[in-house]
Structures are given as structure tokens and as C-alpha cells.
Amino acid sequence: MSTSLEGYASSRRLPGDLAMWFFILAELSLFAILIIAFGVTQVLRYEQFSASRQLLDTSTGLALTLSLLTSGLFAALALQQVRQTRQRRGALLLLAALLSASVYVWLKLSEYAHLAGQGLGLEHNTFFTLYWLLTGFHFLHVLLGVVILGWMAERCRRRAYTPGSHSGLESGVLYWHMVDLVWVLLFPLVYVLN
Amino acid sequence: MSASAVLLCCWLGLALLSVATVLLGNAGATLLLAGGVLLAALGKAWLIADGFMELRHAPRLWRGLLLAWPLSMALATAAGVLLVQIGR
């Protein structure tokens, strides 16, 4: 069901597929439950949370944020290129988004390995249980996003998307921006706020 | 301004707000600084929703629904920070 058809809502237009928007709302609701659980537990055990947060590297958190946001920029620029019938540039930009997302994956895996090596695993304390659950759930979304970006880059290279028919590309890019959106709330909550 | 230039401006804003988040977080643990961190997060969420996701041109209901999410998460977090401060 595409909402990108003309006449849908005069000048106001919802990009992508309507089903993707319902999916995004469902995903955001799930993340809301996890974020509220983290926040409530922080109130109950703020000393433990404050001490445990010191064990996380904020600069790594910043690098993770910048890599995701840069990937989001490349994906959004790719969409603009396809709308201007520049599919080849669009495919290259999607590959750049994929590369930037891979930096996130590499950084996150390094951080996970570092924490696990220090014995700060899922069962270390309540903070780290919630840290692993929250960031792990987000990480799974990133991995799915990487697959989607790769798939879209290949389809774009084959010129499967045209200015008149690119709802699938819009939906995939929207999913990727949702991953960004969740992270910009997770980053201060998990790494920064004391 | 072209659509690509708008996207680049959004990214620049997002990067600056991310750096500001870390600087505010490292500056201390006061209510004011926590408020600044949450405001920066809200600013970033708005740039992603209206800039990257193109919701500034979308029907108001969907824009409102999506912007309500970061707002409610930031308010819930702010309430938690406030409760911690009162508890101390």
C-alpha cells in the first residue's frame, strides 16, 4: 500500500509505505518499554548505575553516534539522487551508508568484546543486564539495517528504483532513520546522563 | 536551498549536538546539565524526523506521532533524573 500516490493528501505527503510507518511505531513502542525500564531501574539503583556508567567509554559512544548519523545522511542523499534519476550515484551513496554502518558494527563489537573481557557481562549487575539488553536489541536492528542497505544498493545499481517508483527505497531508508532516532535517545541515557 | 544542502545542514546540526551532549555530560552531574543533554537529544530527534525522514512535509498526525516518541522518552528520563535528585 503506497502512500506516495498523487492526490493522497494534497501537498502533505507521507514518504514510503504506510505499513512501514506502522512497523516503525510498533518498534518505537518496544524500545519505549525498554527505555522506561532502564529509567525506572536507574531511579531505584542510581548509585550502581552511576558507578557502572563510568566503566563505559563516552568517546566510543560518540563515535558510534557519528557513524550512525553519517550513514543516515548517505542514505537520505541516496534517496535524493534516485529521485533525480541518478541511480548510479544513489547506489554509491547507499554503499557509503553501508560502509559507515559497518564502522558502527565494528565499534560496537569491539566495545562488547572489551566489556565481556573485563567481566562486565549480562549478569554482572542490573545496569549491565539492561545495557546488554537495550543496546543488544538496538544492535540487532542495526544488523538488519545493514542487510537492507546492501539489498537496496544492489537494486539501485540495477536501476530497479525510478523517480516514479521508489516506495521500497523510501521505506528501507525510513527504517534506517528509525534506528538513528532510537540511538540518539539511547546514547545520552546509557552513556552520558549521570 | 536544495534538498541535499538541507540534509547536509541537518547532519552538521546532529554532529554538533552529539559533541555538545558529551561535553555537557562531562561537565558535571547537575539538573541543568542533564536538562541540556536531554534538550540536545530532542533537537537531534527533531532533525532526524523532520530532516532525514522528511516528516516536515508529512500529514500532521504522523509527524505528531513520531515527534511524540522522543518527547515522551525525554520527559520520562527527565522525571527519573528529578526523582534521583530528590532522593539524594
Side-chain angles (χ1 to χ4, degrees):
Chain A
M1 185 188 335
S2 172
T3 56
S4 58
L5 299 172
E6 279 185 30
Y8 167 70
S10 63
S11 60
R12 291 201 168 267
R13 175 185 169 272
L14 191 64
D17 198 278
L18 189 59
M20 176 52 77
W21 284 101
F22 282 113
F23 176 74
I24 285 173
L25 286 185
E27 290 290 301
L28 290 179
S29 304
L30 271 175
F31 274 107
I33 293 167
L34 288 171
I35 287 171
I36 289 169
F38 190 95
V40 169
T41 317
Q42 179 168 247
V43 173
L44 299 173
R45 302 185 178 194
Y46 63 85
E47 282 175 356
Q48 183 197 90
F49 270 57
S50 185
S52 298
R53 194 174 274 121
Q54 304 299 320
L55 301 170
L56 297 177
D57 184 11
T58 318
S59 57
T60 303
L62 179 62
L64 288 165
T65 306
L66 292 176
S67 60
L68 262 194
L69 293 174
T70 305
S71 180
L73 170 71
F74 285 136
L77 287 172
L79 186 57
Q80 295 300 328
Q81 294 300 316
V82 169
R83 283 175 180 159
Q84 294 166 28
T85 333
R86 294 175 186 153
Q87 284 91 342
R88 189 170 166 74
R89 276 193 201 177
L92 287 174
L93 282 163
L94 283 171
L95 278 178
L98 182 65
L99 199 68
S100 189
S102 302
V103 171
Y104 177 94
V105 170
W106 177 73
L107 281 171
K108 198 71 198 160
L109 286 176
S110 304
E111 187 187 45
Y112 281 158
H114 175 71
L115 291 174
Q118 288 191 320
L120 303 170
L122 192 70
E123 295 176 353
H124 181 71
N125 63 22
T126 313
F127 174 86
F128 279 103
T129 301
L130 287 169
Y131 163 85
W132 282 90
L133 284 176
L134 201 52
T135 63
F137 189 53
H138 181 264
F139 186 65
L140 289 178
H141 283 76
V142 172
L143 291 182
L144 176 61
V146 165
V147 173
I148 291 171
L149 285 174
W151 168 254
M152 292 191 308
E154 175 58 19
R155 279 181 59 79
C156 204
R157 191 184 65 81
R158 292 182 187 175
R159 295 180 180 271
Y161 303 119
T162 63
S165 171
H166 59 280
S167 181
L169 177 65
E170 284 183 338
S171 297
V173 169
L174 280 171
Y175 171 85
W176 191 238
H177 293 320
M178 179 208 71
V179 173
D180 271 358
L181 182 67
V182 172
W183 181 258
V184 298
L185 266 294
L186 285 190
F187 171 55
L189 181 70
V190 175
Y191 287 82
V192 181
L193 274 180
N194 251 324
Chain B
M1 195 185 282
S2 72
S4 299
V6 170
L7 290 173
L8 283 169
C9 287
C10 285
W11 178 82
L12 193 63
L14 286 163
L16 290 174
L17 284 171
S18 300
V19 174
T21 299
V22 173
L23 293 177
L24 287 169
N26 289 340
T30 65
L31 270 180
L32 197 67
L33 290 169
V37 168
L38 288 174
L39 275 179
L42 273 179
K44 287 162 72 179
W46 173 70
L47 284 171
I48 290 172
D50 268 10
F52 283 4
M53 297 175 106
E54 302 177 335
L55 280 172
R56 64 187 180 283
H57 303 306
R60 287 189 183 88
L61 172 69
W62 282 100
R63 184 171 181 245
L65 276 173
L66 209 88
L67 287 175
W69 185 80
L71 185 64
S72 53
M73 291 301 99
L75 286 175
T77 307
V81 170
L82 209 60
L83 282 173
V84 168
Q85 290 286 336
I86 291 167
R88 289 165 100 179

